[in-house]
């Protein structure tokens, strides 16, 4: 059996209709458009309403768009991976529900929890499944309903996050295009800086934990910012080095959209041209596992066959990495 590379062959996406602007946030917490724009680069984000629709609603919409665009028979999909930090329920696989709803009747499915690196880790899993030779079509979805875990009285987190979903199809490629290499890492000590304390096995949900707001996402922004920049830069440098590439060989950097200043710092540290960075944070905020596929969704028409893309992400855990992928099609 010859090992084949796994290439992205289609992209789909979905963002909810409801737009939460900086002006609307000014009415909710002590903040202002100038602070949010200058500190984060975010102008607006999308919010799933009602929340009870669940992350699967957006994942299904993104997957259906991909299936339609690609004219794909869902029964031909072998595997559905949903990368998410906000599954529909703590127990019962969101991916299983998504697979059934889209008609992927011959697939198996699982959720992958890598926080903001969930999609990057999912690319590794999808690619490995394809390269095993056992699977031909792997649907990878990054989807998060961050509004379901945000405290809308906490100005330091509520301005940053938004909801959305993006989907890509991975298939074997005969021209050696697709995922080429990756550097993926974790540092478990980082969990103190970015977490939801209650609702897991260590601190099951109770009326006390809810009263204390421990079911909401809590982060210490400054250390997270620092670790995010240095670790993403390190991972990118390593993956470039491993592949004898320089920054000039790279067409686009597809970086997790956490904060525009983080993107600026990555570009500065690596001496990248700003045109090399794909950016849409101003419209969606940080959608966690959905940021990378939503960039592909927005910029798909710009991407050309054989172009070299560098993906990078950083998230809770800590989790992070960088992945080198060559684009496999023209739209
Ligand atoms: N509006 C106005 N002021 C705000 C504010 C808001 N929405 N949020 C925080 N502030 C205030 C703080 O209270 C603080 O005031 P003080 O100096 O009087 O104490 C001041 O702004 C500076 O706070 P700080 O937290 O140091 O700001 P910052 O420049 O680090 O920006 C983040 C905050 C969260 C935007 C930034 O740290 C960040 O983006 N961190 C990384 C987040 C991230 O990537 N998370 C996801 C990981 S994938």
């Amino acid at each position: 059996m010859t090992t084949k590379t796994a290439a992205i062959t289609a992209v789909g996406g979905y963002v909810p209709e409801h737009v939460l602007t900086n002006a609307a946030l000014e009415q909710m917490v002590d903040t202002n458009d100038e602070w949010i724009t200058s500190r984060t680069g975010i102008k607006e984000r999308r919010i799933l309403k009602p929340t009870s629709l669940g992350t699967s609603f957006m994942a299904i919409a993104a997957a259906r768009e991909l299936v339609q665009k690609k004219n794909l028979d869902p029964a031909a999909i072998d595997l559905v991976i949903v990368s998410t930090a906000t599954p529909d329920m703590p127990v019962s696989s969101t991916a299983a529900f998504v697979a059934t709803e889209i008609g992927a009747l011959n697939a198996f499915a699982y959720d992958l929890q890598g926080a903001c690196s969930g999609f990057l880790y999912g690319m590794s899993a999808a690619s490995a499944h394809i390269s095993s030779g056992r699977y031909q079509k792997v649907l990878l979805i990054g989807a998060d309903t961050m509004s379901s875990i945000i405290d809308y009285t906490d100005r330091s987190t509520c301005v940053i996050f938004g909801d959305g979903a993006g989907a890509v199809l991975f298939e074997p490629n005969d021209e050696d295009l697709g995922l080429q290499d990756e550097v993926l890492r974790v540092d478990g000590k980082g969990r103190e800086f970015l977490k939801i304390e209650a609702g897991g096995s260590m601190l099951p949900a109770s009326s006390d934990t809810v009263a204390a707001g421990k079911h909401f996402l809590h982060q210490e922004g400054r250390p997270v910012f620092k670790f995010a920049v240095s670790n993403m830069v390190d991972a990118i440098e390593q993956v470039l080095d491993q592949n004898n590439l320089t920054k000039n060989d790279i067409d686009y950097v597809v970086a997790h959209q956490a904060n525009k200043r983080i993107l600026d710092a990555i570009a500065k540290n690596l001496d990248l041209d700003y045109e090399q960075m794909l950016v849409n944070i101003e419209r969606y905020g940080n959608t966690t596992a959905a940021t990378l596929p939503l960039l592909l969704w927005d910029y798909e028409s710009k991407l050309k066959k054989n172009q070299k893309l560098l993906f990078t992400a950083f998230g809770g855990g800590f989790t992070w990495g960088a992945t080198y992928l060559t684009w496999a099609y023209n739209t």
Side-chain angles (χ1 to χ4, degrees):
M1 186 184 73
T2 18
T3 305
K4 286 194 182 165
T5 49
I8 293 176
T9 60
V11 177
Y14 175 82
V15 288
E17 275 171 30
H18 182 79
V19 178
L20 179 61
T21 61
N22 291 350
L25 281 164
E26 285 179 9
Q27 307 303 312
M28 296 159 67
V29 287
D30 181 14
T31 190
N32 56 77
D33 176 52
E34 199 283 323
W35 192 96
I36 302 171
T37 306
S38 63
R39 293 297 185 119
T40 72
I42 302 166
K43 283 294 193 187
E44 58 187 42
R45 56 300 283 142
R46 300 300 183 99
I47 304 294
L48 183 66
K49 282 187 186 272
T51 307
S52 58
L53 288 171
T55 294
S56 63
F57 178 86
M58 296 188 294
I60 290 164
R64 283 194 178 135
E65 197 210 39
L66 181 153
V67 162
Q68 201 180 10
K69 264 167 67 180
K70 178 84 175 158
N71 201 13
L72 174 71
D73 176 4
I77 297 170
D78 299 301
L79 165 61
V80 178
I81 303 172
V82 176
S83 293
T84 184
T86 52
D88 283 5
M89 306 174 201
V91 174
S92 197
S93 160
T94 299
F97 184 70
V98 171
T100 300
E101 288 294 303
I102 65 169
L105 304 174
N106 297 306
F108 72 113
Y110 60 84
D111 294 358
L112 192 156
Q113 214 302 30
C116 293
S117 305
F119 188 83
L120 195 76
Y121 285 10
M123 289 172 67
S124 179
S127 163
H129 282 293
I130 296 280
S131 295
S132 75
R134 285 201 294 278
Y135 308 105
Q136 305 298 310
K137 293 187 188 330
V138 177
L139 183 65
L140 171 63
I141 304 169
D144 269 302
T145 312
M146 296 308 289
S147 61
S148 68
I149 56 169
I150 293 298
D151 176 358
Y152 282 94
T153 66
D154 173 9
R155 67 178 183 175
S156 69
T157 52
C158 74
V159 301
I160 295 173
F161 293 95
D163 303 337
V168 300
L169 185 70
F170 273 92
E171 294 183 275
N173 187 277
D174 291 329
E175 299 171 277
D176 216 20
L177 296 169
L179 199 150
Q180 305 292 320
D181 198 13
E182 63 193 12
V183 172
L184 303 178
R185 296 284 182 270
V186 295
D187 178 0
K189 294 193 182 75
R191 73 179 182 174
E192 292 312 315
F193 299 106
L194 185 51
K195 63 184 172 187
I196 295 178
E197 220 176 324
S201 57
M202 283 172 72
L203 187 59
S206 67
S207 50
D208 288 346
T209 62
V210 172
K214 291 184 175 176
H215 57 298
F216 289 127
L217 183 78
H218 172 82
Q219 77 163 347
E220 289 179 41
R222 276 191 197 178
V224 174
F225 189 107
K226 202 181 81 192
F227 284 115
V229 174
S230 62
N231 286 321
M232 282 192 279
V233 167
D234 280 355
I236 289 174
E237 281 177 337
Q238 202 175 325
V239 91
L240 286 174
D241 197 42
Q242 281 174 195
N243 293 278
N244 296 317
L245 295 168
T246 71
K247 55 148 188 129
N248 298 325
D249 297 314
I250 299 304
D251 292 289
Y252 295 110
V253 176
V254 187
H256 175 52
Q257 308 283 294
N259 184 324
K260 172 82 163 34
R261 286 189 296 135
I262 292 179
L263 301 174
D264 293 344
I266 292 173
K268 189 165 172 238
N269 270 278
L270 295 167
D271 194 21
L272 293 162
D273 286 337
Y274 210 73
E275 291 69 51
Q276 288 173 280
M277 308 284 294
L278 301 187
V279 180
N280 61 8
I281 190 171
E282 69 283 359
R283 286 183 292 131
Y284 305 141
N286 181 348
T287 55
T288 300
T291 61
L292 300 183
L294 283 176
L295 282 171
L296 297 178
W297 189 51
D298 277 352
Y299 287 95
E300 187 185 17
S301 61
K302 267 182 92 155
L303 304 176
K304 302 280 173 273
K305 190 173 171 182
N306 291 311
Q307 281 181 333
K308 295 181 174 63
L309 272 55
L310 264 186
F311 291 73
T312 187
F314 180 88
F318 292 134
T319 57
W320 72 91
T323 296
Y324 165 41
L325 175 142
T326 47
W327 198 248
Y329 66 96
N330 297 317
T331 42

